[in-house]
Amino acid sequence: MANKVYARLDDIDLSFSDRVVLKNCSLDIVEGAITCIIGLSGAGKSTILRLIDGLVLPDSGHVYIGDRDLCHASQRQLYETRRKISLSFQFAALLDSMSVGENVALPLREHTKLSDGEIRRIVMDALESVGLSHTYDNLPSELSGGMLKRAGFARAIVMRPDLILYDEPTTGLDPIVTHLITDTIVQLRAKLNGTAVVISHDLQSIYMMADYVAMLFEGAIIAYGTVDEVRKSPNPLVQQFLRGSEVGPIPI
Amino acid sequence: MKILERTGGATLGFLEYTGGLFSLAGESAGFIFRFRIRFGETISQCYLLGVQSLSIVLLTSLFTGMVISLESAMQAVQFGVGNLVGGAVAYASVRELGPMLTAVVVAGRVGAAIAAELGSMVVTEQIEALRSMGLEPARFLVVPRLLAVVVMLPLLTIFADVVSIMGGAWIAQSYAHIAFDSFISSARQQIGVDDVMKGLVKAVVFGMIVALVGAYQGLSTRGGAAGVGKSTTGAVVNSIILIFIANFILSLVLFGGS
Ligand SMILES: Nc1ncnc2c1ncn2[C@@H]1O[C@H](COP(=O)(O)OP(=O)(O)OP(=O)(O)O)[C@@H](O)[C@H]1O
Ligand SMILES: [Mg+2]
């Protein structure tokens, strides 16, 4: 089956000052599918999402969104591309000068011509889907970490973008909300036929939602395939990671 | 060798800094000329950055006018030229001290506030979130603050000029027995509308310096709360230095012939 690729990382090298984060890293994000990225803490998973969103440019290699190479795009083209992509940040990153509702409404206010009433309705829907409709008028500083995270999630889905990047959407949430969020990700994909990339440490929800799984280790993708393929991978690194065992080739 | 290296490094740092400052200025100007301005936000920044600086500007300029008057009035009376004191105070206030001191006070209050706010937005990834939503930080955050300071600083300067002259007149009257009327008429003789306007031109330039340096420092913050502290200090120190330099150049250009 020839899958259409929505985003492609092609042979990326990236270092921050002296620290090499990605080395010969290549990854295809299949259109209409949910791709989950797993890997050790600090491996560079969040960095991959930043690359796809054009927030960070690689030292060498290419990042393609469709046919557009972000490494050779103008600032204006980068901003244009970003509007079709949403990033739900690991630590929410809500603007603390606005209420939660206004935060979620912000992309709609800035990029659409919808009326205030329509915007309020869409925002309410989004907040409801993460169980936060009562926090519309609260300031971000009045919310708990998990609630902030869900508000950030609501902000990411409100524009119904082609590609949504979720950075650990369920880390630190209780099991019920985790289930709710996982469900929302799956439903959104089905409803919009959109593409998603999810970083997660939660194997249960990965098995539930992923079409493809990619494992990042020491700067490169060392395993890629469907959930079954990756679970059955003979690679001892993958096996050790999925088992969550201290014994194996991964240095601790 | 070490000295050469150091000088080279410092020069590069300076060039990078001014380059960054000018590119932020250019980017912001681009949005302003295309009228991509958030008016509501601009007005609330005018209040936040301008109106709330009024009391501290009034206080500092009042005492400045009073001290110039105190220093000059007694001497002037001794030499029998008490009728010139009003002119001296007004001259110094309107052309130099009013714009300068207002700008310095605003740099300490507003420049620091801008740097701290944007800096903490950098370290909490809020700036990255804006870019990720396709919103340019220069348009979204810098332009409203820049416009607010550029509009409010001249207004504050007018208040500062007036209060400084009034404070001067009061001290001249109570210590050197120079009549209020003669003080004011001397002031009016010494300075004209063009002096006031030139002072306001200075205020506009100083406003740009305060807002842009604050914003640039804030946006280039690296590394947590300590980084925010550094940016804030940097914003105040650098904008004050630039204000002093710009003041000299502007005095030379504007008042050079008079
Ligand atoms: N702006 C930056 N400046 C310097 N180093 C950075 C920067 N961003 C990330 N790094 C480094 O890059 C590495 C990868 O970071 P990244 O946030 O992508 O990890 P991660 O896989 O998302 O980890 P986690 O699972 O803990 O979120 C880390 O070692 C981090 O220290
Ligand atoms: Mg991360």
Side-chain angles (χ1 to χ4, degrees), chain A residues 45-46 90 167-168:
Chain A
K45 303 181 298 299
S46 298
Q90 186 167 0
D167 198 343
E168 305 198 11

Side-chain angles (χ1 to χ4, degrees), chain A residues 50 53-56 76 79 82-83 85 87 89 91 93-96 98 106-107 110-111 155, chain B residues 27 34 36 38 117 120-121 124-137 139-140:
Chain A
R50 291 201 165 83
D53 206 9
L55 296 170
V56 181
R76 178 180 294 232
Y79 276 104
R82 283 192 199 119
R83 290 183 195 177
I85 303 174
L87 173 53
F89 281 79
F91 305 104
L94 297 190
L95 304 189
D96 47 25
M98 304 178 176
L106 184 60
E110 291 288 329
H111 296 314
R155 181 177 69 181
Chain B
E27 204 184 333
R34 278 177 282 146
R36 297 193 49 205
R38 299 170 68 218
E117 185 183 10
S120 62
M121 289 181 76
T124 53
E125 298 185 328
Q126 293 176 50
I127 299 289
E128 204 160 45
L130 280 175
R131 291 168 60 215
S132 147
M133 285 184 275
L135 303 174
E136 304 88 345
R139 178 180 71 81
F140 200 81

Side-chain angles (χ1 to χ4, degrees), chain A residues 16 19 21 40-47 90 168 201:
Chain A
F16 290 112
R19 197 183 178 292
V21 178
L40 299 174
S41 181
K45 303 181 298 299
S46 298
T47 305
Q90 186 167 0
E168 305 198 11
H201 294 297

Side-chain angles (χ1 to χ4, degrees), chain A residues 79-132:
Chain A
Y79 276 104
E80 220 174 75
T81 307
R82 283 192 199 119
R83 290 183 195 177
K84 291 182 277 177
I85 303 174
S86 281
L87 173 53
S88 157
F89 281 79
Q90 186 167 0
F91 305 104
L94 297 190
L95 304 189
D96 47 25
S97 54
M98 304 178 176
S99 72
V100 171
E102 281 308 309
N103 260 290
V104 178
L106 184 60
L108 294 168
R109 282 214 199 294
E110 291 288 329
H111 296 314
T112 68
K113 298 222 178 325
L114 297 173
S115 70
D116 280 2
E118 284 169 306
I119 289 179
R120 197 178 165 93
R121 192 182 50 73
I122 298 173
V123 170
M124 270 307 190
D125 274 356
L127 283 175
E128 216 157 279
S129 73
V130 293
L132 281 183

